[in-house]
Amino acid sequence: MSDLHNLSVKALATLLQTKEVSAVEVATRFLARMGGNPHNAFLDIDSEVTLAQAQASDAKLADGTAGPLEGVPVAHKDVFVTQDFATTAGSKILSGYRSPFDATVVQRLRTAGMVTLGKLNCDEFAMGSANENSAYGPVQNPWDTARVPGGSSGGSAAAVAAGLTPAATGTDTGGSIRQPASFCGITGIKPTYGRASRYGMIAYASSLDQAGPMARSAEDCALLLSAMCGADLDRDSTSLDMPSEDFSASLNSSIEGLRIGIPKEFFGEGLATDVRAAVDGALREYEKLGAKLVPISLPRTELSIPVYYIIAPAEASSNLSRFDGVKFGHRAKDYTDLVDMYKKTRAEGFGNEVKRRIMTGAYVLSHGYYDAYYLQAQKIRRMIADDFQNAFKECDVIAGPVAPSVAWKFGENANDPVADYLADIFTLPASLAGLPGMSVPAGFGAQGMPVGLQLIGNYFKEAQLLNAAHRLQQATDFHLQKPQGI
Ligand code: GLN
């Protein structure tokens, strides 16, 4: 089977269960493709660990104790802590760090039988929109290696697009699953805040961080999401007291009569014409499938940028205080006393964007500015969430672009952090509201670069999103297209 690396999670799972292929064979194929670390997608690989997991999977397949995804490979964004691989969150401050435990999401996918291929590159502490903020170098977009893969889950998106893994995990605080999925032509879903446990996910902004799967299709995302979700109350106090669901069960349901809300604020001036054309094309497909397009308004869309870029850095400045050279990773070599050690360790260990966020966060939380910035932002955050609830009175799901443009070239925004912040405009609102959102391949724009359609659902409506995405993928083949040579 020469095209193992192009098979879906579902197809691989079936071949493994029927023993047409072994887990070791599958793992060996992917490990061979990962040789030389194409696109700089991986940060840690250990073929011995992977092959040992694959052997254990083969034993379970043989004795009838196999999980539903037994032997199917997966790779994890480097913000999920893992016992068997190093975890750096893309930061120098964690170089060489090894966790004494696995994140809940990692552990659940192992329980379902998945074999870990390694850890994936990402923006440092998941702060970024282009993967240019990784301390271990940028990730290339497999569709055009001169372009960014998106961020912060850039390694995850590039690895799936390049056939280095059939599926990956990502995290989404303000768009980090959806935007790289869009830029790399794959499918990704961020579930409702609280659906997937944050235990062992290195915290960026705790009130926003959420894990989710990235794969080629909605069908594959559904399989992983079912395994990832579920209550973890003892270990994550914001985990929802709600069992996971079989997200595959309603993939094929009819979407006849589905009301798709089209927010006018998502189709304004800043939207590139090529992205608009692809998104419009996908919406026409939905009409053909019997869905109804309903004009809606999300009036505070623009405010989501300042609100997010106050709240996320505020939480980050607190979360990142634990990296001080005492407990984890890097420690400065020469220092005079404890405070000097903290200062030097943090100055050496954090990259520029992380330092910028810590400083912004500390500023907006400081006495005298708290009311003017942080408190104000929290109030508007609430109004943004209310806007969505108003919109959901008129529609079932919301659709629009994921990002205002296709993937940009390396260096284009590198010295202009605000340009990256502005490009997050369409993903931030759902994050601030805690709503599930996904990116579905919708066609191609300028220079043949992929364009994603964003679907946003109401709380706990992941199954409805995946159903809508799957129906589109039954009617189109955008998600099956691959970069040249893959
Ligand atoms: N680009 C956004 C940021 O830099 C979102 C990142 C994310 O979702 N982790 O914060």
Side-chain angles (χ1 to χ4, degrees):
M1 254 174 276
S2 60
D3 67 340
L4 271 184
H5 66 276
N6 279 328
L7 295 183
S8 64
V9 168
K10 188 170 182 200
L12 282 169
T14 308
L15 288 178
L16 284 154
Q17 299 281 347
T18 55
K19 300 193 186 57
E20 281 163 81
V21 66
S22 73
V24 168
E25 252 176 278
V26 174
T28 306
R29 174 67 57 82
F30 281 101
L31 287 170
R33 288 188 62 77
M34 288 152 57
N37 198 16
H39 310 297
N40 198 28
F42 280 86
L43 292 181
D44 196 23
I45 295 173
D46 184 336
S47 54
E48 271 179 41
V49 168
T50 301
L51 290 172
Q53 290 186 6
Q55 271 162 7
S57 283
D58 281 330
K60 288 187 175 173
L61 286 157
D63 71 15
T65 56
L69 299 174
E70 199 67 58
V72 179
V74 67
H76 297 293
K77 184 178 184 180
D78 207 28
V79 298
F80 292 95
V81 302
T82 42
Q83 251 177 321
D84 295 333
F85 296 88
T87 302
T88 68
S91 181
K92 193 176 150 196
I93 210 161
L94 280 176
S95 73
Y97 173 69
R98 210 164 261 262
S99 164
F101 64 93
D102 280 337
T104 297
V105 160
V106 170
Q107 184 210 308
R108 286 193 176 162
L109 291 173
R110 285 286 298 134
T111 305
M114 296 195 98
V115 168
T116 314
L117 290 175
K119 301 298 287 295
L120 293 159
N121 205 344
C122 57
D123 282 303
E124 186 175 2
F125 290 107
M127 297 175 192
S129 309
N131 218 119
E132 286 176 299
N133 298 335
S134 167
Y136 304 98
V139 174
Q140 296 170 332
N141 190 315
W143 292 88
D144 175 354
T145 54
R147 288 174 192 268
V148 303
S152 62
S153 313
S156 307
V160 172
L164 307 177
T165 180
T169 53
T171 65
D172 192 311
T173 303
S176 279
I177 288 175
R178 291 161 285 161
Q179 186 255 26
S182 167
F183 280 14
C184 290
I186 66 160
T187 308
I189 180 165
K190 171 197 104 74
T192 307
Y193 179 83
R195 270 281 202 187
S197 170
R198 289 186 298 109
Y199 182 70
M201 227 172 87
I202 294 175
Y204 162 17
S206 309
S207 75
L208 295 152
D209 296 343
Q210 191 51 204
M214 302 169 77
R216 288 216 181 81
S217 64
E219 191 172 45
D220 283 356
C221 283
L223 290 170
L224 267 85
L225 191 64
S226 295
M228 288 166 74
C229 290
D232 192 20
L233 303 173
D234 293 342
R235 300 190 294 183
D236 171 6
S237 61
T238 60
S239 144
L240 289 162
D241 190 5
M242 204 177 186
S244 190
E245 267 176 48
D246 177 3
F247 293 108
S248 306
S250 54
L251 285 175
N252 284 306
S253 303
S254 163
I255 56 164
E256 182 84 47
L258 183 78
R259 297 168 305 162
I260 302 183
I262 311 296
K264 65 170 189 278
E265 294 80 4
F266 280 40
F267 292 84
E269 236 173 73
L271 183 62
T273 48
D274 57 334
V275 173
R276 180 167 191 143
V279 167
D280 281 346
L283 295 176
R284 295 291 90 76
E285 287 295 334
Y286 271 120
E287 285 186 312
K288 283 191 218 155
L289 291 166
K292 279 202 277 293
L293 305 186
V294 186
I296 59 160
S297 173
L298 294 171
R300 292 174 186 87
T301 296
E302 247 179 44
L303 290 178
S304 67
I305 298 173
V307 167
Y308 175 88
Y309 281 99
I310 287 170
I311 292 174
E315 295 184 21
S317 72
S318 164
N319 275 326
L320 268 55
S321 64
R322 73 191 58 161
F323 303 107
D324 56 9
V326 176
K327 296 195 201 76
F328 315 100
H330 177 76
R331 177 182 299 172
K333 275 210 178 64
D334 305 305
Y335 47 86
T336 49
D337 56 21
L338 184 66
V339 173
D340 191 44
M341 191 277 280
Y342 290 159
K343 281 188 186 161
K344 285 189 175 138
T345 297
R346 288 166 69 84
E348 291 169 9
F350 289 135
N352 285 343
E353 185 58 30
V354 172
K355 287 177 184 161
R356 184 178 294 123
R357 307 265 179 124
I358 292 173
M359 287 190 277
T360 314
Y363 179 81
V364 299
L365 289 175
S366 61
H367 183 70
Y369 295 102
Y370 182 94
D371 287 1
Y373 292 108
Y374 184 72
L375 202 61
Q376 238 356 53
Q378 291 286 34
K379 288 179 181 168
I380 301 170
R381 178 181 188 175
R382 179 52 197 245
M383 291 166 140
I384 290 170
D386 290 345
D387 287 346
F388 275 107
Q389 291 315 306
N390 278 332
F392 283 123
K393 286 179 191 147
E394 289 154 47
C395 62
D396 305 304
V397 302
I398 294 171
V402 174
S405 72
V406 296
W408 52 86
K409 292 209 165 117
F410 283 112
E412 249 173 56
N413 291 355
N415 297 317
D416 184 2
V418 176
D420 276 16
Y421 301 172
L422 293 174
D424 289 341
I425 182 160
F426 303 134
T427 50
L428 299 178
S431 292
L432 289 165
L435 293 166
M438 67 184 296
S439 177
V440 193
F444 296 87
Q447 273 84 47
M449 293 306 290
V451 174
L453 173 79
Q454 183 174 204
L455 296 173
I456 300 169
N458 211 342
Y459 301 112
F460 321 122
K461 297 285 191 188
E462 292 85 359
Q464 190 175 38
L465 287 185
L466 289 160
N467 166 222
H470 181 67
R471 294 306 300 235
L472 182 71
Q473 293 184 334
Q474 297 300 99
T476 60
D477 67 354
F478 302 126
H479 64 298
L480 299 176
Q481 317 252 346
K482 296 175 184 73
Q484 235 177 6
I486 304 300

